[in-house]
Amino acid sequence: MAEEGETVDIDGSIMEGGGQILRICTALGCLLGKRLHVHQIRAGRSTPGLRPQHLSGLETVRDLCGGKLVKAEIGSTEIEFTPGKIKGGTLTADTKTAGSVCLLLQVSLPCVLFAESPSELILKGGTNAEMAPQIDYTTMVFKPIAERFNFKLDYDIKRRGYYPRGGGEIQVKVSPVKHLNPINLVDRGSVTKIYGRSFVAGVLPYRMAKDMASAAVRCIRRELRDLYINIQAVQEHKERAVANGSGIIIVAETSTGCIFAGSALGKKGVTSDQVGVEAAEILLRNLHHGGCVDEYLQDQLIIFMALADGISQIKTGPLTLHTQTAIHFVEQLSKAKFTVKKCEEVNTDCNIIECQGIGFRNMNQ
């Protein structure tokens, strides 16, 4: 923990070693008023340093709080960030690539929750990108679970954008909160419904969407025979999608309100059936471990658990490297304390992550 006025030194090459370190540290630096020096940014990646989406995320946080950002340019392996006061208002962030709008949302959302006034963010880039949550995941899984921390996330998908062109756009509206409530997600319950969305855009034929959905249903049926599975096949409207793209997301809900998903994007040389099966297998894998969140949600909840007022608990499957990284840097920057305990239950591979949050307060509310 740095004292007031000190600069916190962050090694961006350790653990997950990617953009996630930047997102967590910048958001927390902004909220907690800590100056940051991040070095060795993405040092182990094939293209080290800042990529357009990372730079765009940093600039968004800088603009939200009227802060200062030094050495931040494409390819830079170090930055210095000095936060200001989080005002809110309207802001546009554009990766100008297929860089993920969901990752832009990840870095900016904790900040705007504690702004002086409501925020409207116009985020441009890829809505359904590899190596990032699809916008459908954010809508169907992240939003309903994260809102349990006591905030409302409103957004509108104006246009979808796919790799390599990007060009997607979402409009996000968030009102500030006084504080966040802790959450308790430890009772898995039983799966009650499975539904999803299989889409094609541009010149890709509607049949591909139907094939992805059918293959996914067949795969899930082998294990869960009695549940009705409703995967909607969709041809995206030309005005609402840029270029060609395809993909599928399948969501399972449980009797206690837990939500899990498996998703996949279409790629050259991969059949529609293979894409559908990939998404189904990811979903089934996350239903097997016995936890209450899937492998893609666990790390996204860490920063909110740390800021919340009280003790949060979530039951997860095996801890991902992203989650371990999130816990490490949140503890480095804040006084939040995490413990991870292996569950004793037979035939499960799960953990309980517990966090004593710092009870962060919005002094403007």
Side-chain angles (χ1 to χ4, degrees), residues 38-107:
V38 189
H39 56 94
Q40 298 269 82
I41 294 169
R42 302 181 67 256
R45 298 298 198 254
S46 55
T47 48
L50 296 176
R51 305 307 304 143
Q53 73 183 38
H54 307 120
L55 180 59
S56 192
L58 289 169
E59 289 171 343
T60 304
V61 174
R62 176 200 65 195
D63 295 347
L64 279 169
C65 70
K68 269 171 50 186
L69 199 51
V70 180
K71 302 179 186 171
E73 53 194 49
I74 304 294
S76 175
T77 56
E78 67 170 321
I79 58 118
E80 291 171 14
F81 172 61
T82 306
K85 195 171 184 186
I86 309 167
K87 301 277 192 205
T90 302
L91 197 67
T92 299
D94 188 352
T95 65
K96 299 187 173 63
T97 66
S100 169
V101 295
C102 299
L103 297 182
L104 291 179
L105 180 62
Q106 256 183 38
V107 70

Side-chain angles (χ1 to χ4, degrees), residues 71 101 120 249 265 333:
K71 302 179 186 171
V101 295
E120 182 181 325
I249 179 165
L265 291 170
L333 281 162

